[in-house]
Amino acid sequence: MVRFEPLGQKMFTRRNWLLRCSILINILVILYICSHVMIGNGTGFNGSNTFFIQERGVDTANSAQLIGDKIQPPPPPPPASNDLSLSPLSPNDSGGAAAAAPATAAAAPTQNQVGSAVAGNIGGVAPIVESAVYTNNTVNDGDAAVAEEKDPEVRLETLLNCYDRDFKPEVLQRGDFWVLKNYVRADHGPLKCSESITYTTHADYTFLDNLIPLLERWNAPVSIAMHTPGTDYQPTIDAIKYLRECLPESPLVRTFTTFHLYFSTKHIPKQVAKQSEVLKTPYNCTLPPPYFNVSSGHLYKSQKKLLYPVNVGRNIARDAALTHFILASDIELYPNPGLVKKFLEMIARNDAYLQRKAPRVFPLSIFEVEANATVPRDKTELQEYLRTGKAIPFHKRVCASCHGVPQSKEWMAANETDELSVFHIGKRTGYFRHWEPIYIGTHADPHYDERLSWEGKSDKMTQGYALCVLDYEFHILDNAFLVHKPGIKVLQKDNRRAMLAGKTNQLIRKIIYPELKIMYGVRQGCVV
Ligand SMILES: *[C@@H]1O[C@H](CO)[C@@H](O)[C@H](O)[C@H]1NC(C)=O
Ligand SMILES: *[C@@H]1O[C@H](CO)[C@@H](O)[C@H](O)[C@H]1NC(C)=O
Ligand SMILES: *[C@@H]1O[C@H](CO)[C@@H](O)[C@H](O)[C@H]1NC(C)=O
Ligand SMILES: *[C@@H]1O[C@H](CO)[C@@H](O)[C@H](O)[C@H]1NC(C)=O
Ligand SMILES: *[C@@H]1O[C@H](CO)[C@@H](O)[C@H](O)[C@H]1NC(C)=O
Ligand SMILES: *[C@@H]1O[C@H](CO)[C@@H](O)[C@H](O)[C@H]1NC(C)=O
């Protein structure tokens, strides 16, 4: 807003405005303090009308846990009381799980908060509930802000520094693609950004058989971008309806899953239903699901020899996620159950390694199991599988170094513990310079390059390079892992893919890599 005013008058107005503002703020602070005094009386924390004062200063005991890059197990947290402790997500009540999630939300310092006074004060959830921190101190200026943190939700929003996102359906264009964002929305409705974690992924309808096994383990929001060029539109809609209406597990799908559709402008479906009408006609549930016994050969994409725009899908799903934390993954990778709750608890504990300055993501170890095996539910079971050869590290038989994870042998040997923690802080350098980690990150992480296709391979490498140059730390989680849909991959000769991979390498070397050097810079040891 630009207004033209004589300078003197402008200064006068500004001063006047400042004065009014400060009066208003004073009134607000007083009101705020009053309301807390009354709340304090009402709820009766130890019967005292007190304010919550957090201990200041860096926890030196915690800092001392860092020895080189190795993380020693953190000291056991103080016992949590009911009012602020993280309530577990109900495993079978999907509606309840969504409702329970808000209370589980927890804080991670964003990069600019780390090291600041705020970050130094994040005691995590457990210490705050200790009555010892509620003192009878008299009120001074700083206390209103600290007292505010007594409300876990307010505190989390402040600490995560995230904002809540719209959950509206939209028709958008993204490069050469039409995007139907939030085309079929999850019943959980609008979410607070600090409330849960979103699993973001991409697929065509032939992969939708993975959705229920994924949701049964994840039990939290899923944002999925469906590639639906040409005639793939209708079977995709039918598959979504089938999943939402026809199965005993359908409540999980309805509660948690939001579908976005996208297709190239050159391969637009003949008819696209309005968002408000897409679910109007129900699917005939006696028919088999559209993804039953279909191969990728059935797809419009295959008939027209289109490439799968994997990174367009990844970015659409990520951008539409409502939560601060996101797990950008591939739909065939199933996380271990209980991960969301444990991760948020870990963030809330705010151990010393979470207060480091460098940006970070939290990679999960990835495994494959035999086709006839069930998917292991926890690390102890996984270790049993590894011992008997029923499970192997992901892509061991295809491209070991693409998924070579720092300290993976030590990870596999280490016994499961009750809590989730960071096992090791690694970098994408040296032997791990081609690592394509899958991790819990945030909206702040670099996007995937949309010029790369699934067929051309290396589709996550350029993002990996950006993370390396930006000096990201990879905080590998100790008890968290992904298991691929059962079936161990073996190297298959595919001449078309080999040719496309060659072209992709050229594209990366000649065009994308020089661009990345300009956009992100260079750093010793970082390669695409
Ligand atoms: C989960 O479902 C089972 C059987 O449907 C029921 O016995 C149990 O109480 C449920 N648990 C919760 C936490 O809802
Ligand atoms: C706080 O005040 C209450 C009553 O106002 C008193 O009983 C209690 O001992 C005080 N606690 C401390 C730590 O001073
Ligand atoms: C649903 O499909 C079955 C099997 O094809 C058919 O017999 C039945 O009439 C259909 N029902 C409706 C309401 O269309
Ligand atoms: C799957 O489809 C193939 C042909 O596409 C057919 O021969 C086979 O019987 C089908 N399997 C089942 C279980 O329907
Ligand atoms: C599972 O498959 C493996 C080979 O992939 C085989 O050796 C094993 O006997 C099978 N187990 C069962 C229970 O069918
Ligand atoms: C790991 O667990 C196994 C079985 O519970 C136990 O025998 C072993 O001593 C544990 N190892 C360590 C290092 O705690």
Side-chain angles (χ1 to χ4, degrees):
M1 192 172 67
V2 181
R3 270 206 222 132
F4 296 96
E5 287 167 313
L7 189 61
Q9 188 186 336
K10 194 170 178 179
M11 281 175 71
F12 170 76
T13 346
R14 187 176 296 171
R15 217 176 288 152
N16 196 5
W17 184 81
L18 279 175
L19 185 68
R20 281 189 213 178
C21 264
S22 77
I23 290 171
L24 189 65
I25 288 169
N26 278 331
I27 292 172
L28 284 178
V29 168
I30 289 164
L31 281 177
Y32 187 83
I33 290 168
C34 288
S35 77
H36 270 257
V37 168
M38 283 154 83
I39 291 168
N41 278 337
T43 53
F45 283 114
N46 292 339
S48 63
N49 53 351
T50 56
F51 287 90
F52 156 60
I53 312 290
Q54 260 183 316
E55 287 167 286
R56 287 169 204 273
V58 179
D59 183 344
T60 44
N62 268 355
S63 308
Q65 289 160 20
L66 280 175
I67 300 168
D69 266 348
K70 269 218 164 125
I71 308 294
Q72 303 303 310
S81 83
N82 284 336
D83 50 349
L84 286 170
S85 66
L86 303 176
S87 60
L89 292 169
S90 160
N92 40 1
D93 172 10
S94 46
T104 74
T110 58
Q111 211 195 329
N112 55 7
Q113 285 172 325
V114 174
S116 74
V118 177
N121 274 342
I122 309 168
V125 167
I128 292 164
V129 301
E130 282 191 304
S131 56
V133 298
Y134 295 96
T135 67
N136 287 356
N137 281 11
T138 50
V139 181
N140 62 42
D141 280 350
D143 287 345
V146 182
E148 189 179 43
E149 295 178 10
K150 192 159 68 172
D151 177 347
E153 278 186 36
V154 176
R155 190 181 72 234
L156 284 171
E157 281 157 37
T158 316
L159 297 174
L160 277 182
N161 196 19
C162 61
Y163 64 94
D164 299 339
R165 286 156 186 261
D166 263 349
F167 196 36
K168 291 203 200 92
E170 279 181 90
V171 177
L172 304 170
Q173 282 190 284
R174 184 170 193 126
D176 283 338
F177 293 88
W178 282 105
V179 180
L180 300 163
K181 183 183 171 187
N182 294 327
Y183 195 53
V184 175
R185 283 178 294 177
D187 289 355
H188 59 52
L191 293 179
K192 282 213 161 87
C193 57
S194 53
E195 190 167 315
S196 190
I197 309 178
T198 308
Y199 184 107
T200 70
T201 190
H202 57 88
D204 60 50
Y205 73 89
T206 66
F207 281 84
L208 284 179
D209 58 322
N210 292 289
L211 189 58
I212 301 241
L214 169 65
L215 283 166
E216 282 176 334
R217 297 163 67 91
W218 181 245
N219 229 317
V222 170
S223 167
I224 174 168
M226 303 295 307
H227 184 228
T228 59
T231 53
D232 287 346
Y233 173 82
Q234 197 52 49
T236 304
I237 297 299
D238 290 341
I240 293 171
K241 285 181 186 170
Y242 182 88
L243 286 161
R244 284 176 58 97
E245 294 160 12
C246 301
L247 294 166
E249 301 88 351
S250 285
L252 267 180
V253 178
R254 287 199 303 273
T255 305
F256 289 123
T257 318
T258 295
F259 298 90
H260 325 283
L261 267 52
Y262 72 104
F263 38 81
S264 157
T265 52
K266 296 186 194 74
H267 298 277
I268 185 166
K270 285 226 164 62
Q271 282 191 319
V272 174
K274 281 206 193 86
Q275 190 275 337
S276 55
E277 281 161 21
V278 62
L279 294 179
K280 263 196 178 148
T281 49
Y283 189 70
N284 181 347
C285 290
T286 57
L287 299 174
Y291 48 82
F292 175 72
N293 199 22
V294 289
S295 67
S296 67
H298 288 77
L299 290 168
Y300 177 91
K301 178 199 91 169
S302 309
Q303 287 152 18
K304 300 285 176 180
K305 296 200 164 51
L306 307 183
L307 298 181
Y308 182 64
V310 58
N311 285 348
V312 179
R314 282 194 180 116
N315 289 342
I316 290 169
R318 241 189 70 167
D319 289 350
L322 302 175
T323 56
H324 176 75
F325 285 114
I326 44 195
L327 171 54
S329 182
D330 290 333
I331 193 169
E332 291 183 304
L333 297 175
Y334 311 152
N336 56 314
L339 177 55
V340 172
K341 172 179 170 279
K342 287 196 169 174
F343 181 84
L344 293 174
E345 283 172 350
M346 177 192 78
I347 296 297
R349 286 201 308 274
N350 198 38
D351 291 331
Y353 48 83
L354 296 178
Q355 298 171 26
R356 290 159 69 98
K357 279 211 170 62
R360 69 183 75 85
V361 290
F362 300 90
L364 280 62
S365 306
I366 318 178
F367 298 89
E368 293 176 86
V369 295
E370 279 177 358
N372 54 14
T374 55
V375 182
R377 294 187 66 80
D378 56 36
K379 188 174 176 184
T380 308
E381 204 179 334
L382 171 69
Q383 286 173 316
E384 184 56 33
Y385 275 51
L386 288 165
R387 261 193 295 279
T388 55
K390 283 205 290 188
I392 59 166
F394 189 55
H395 278 189
K396 191 178 174 183
R397 313 242 167 97
V398 181
C399 175
S401 78
C402 304
H403 294 272
V405 181
Q407 299 245 329
S408 58
K409 283 209 180 75
E410 292 84 348
W411 189 95
M412 287 187 266
N415 281 354
E416 185 172 1
T417 50
D418 285 342
E419 286 178 340
L420 188 65
S421 302
V422 171
F423 182 77
H424 171 74
I425 298 177
K427 288 277 178 102
R428 190 181 180 269
T429 52
Y431 176 74
F432 308 105
R433 66 191 181 281
H434 296 303
W435 186 22
E436 288 190 293
I438 291 191
Y439 51 78
I440 297 176
T442 73
H443 289 279
D445 306 328
H447 277 78
Y448 300 95
D449 195 301
E450 298 188 5
R451 288 167 288 188
L452 303 178
S453 68
W454 177 81
E455 288 82 356
K457 302 186 182 177
S458 310
D459 47 61
K460 291 202 285 278
M461 292 295 187
T462 59
Q463 201 229 23
Y465 173 81
L467 294 179
C468 182
V469 173
L470 294 170
D471 210 17
Y472 266 70
E473 292 180 342
F474 295 86
H475 290 222
I476 297 161
L477 298 169
D478 58 357
N479 301 311
F481 58 91
L482 295 162
V483 179
H484 193 274
K485 174 188 176 179
I488 290 179
K489 266 192 200 152
V490 289
L491 201 52
Q492 276 171 342
K493 212 173 150 82
D494 181 338
N495 288 334
R496 180 169 178 250
R497 267 196 96 176
M499 183 271 290
L500 289 165
K503 276 190 175 174
T504 297
N505 285 340
Q506 291 270 318
L507 172 68
I508 292 175
R509 237 190 20 249
K510 296 220 171 106
I511 313 252
I512 299 177
Y513 186 41
E515 285 178 12
L516 291 173
K517 286 198 279 195
I518 293 169
M519 299 307 293
Y520 294 106
V522 291
R523 181 181 289 275
Q524 182 100 43
C526 297
V527 296
V528 172

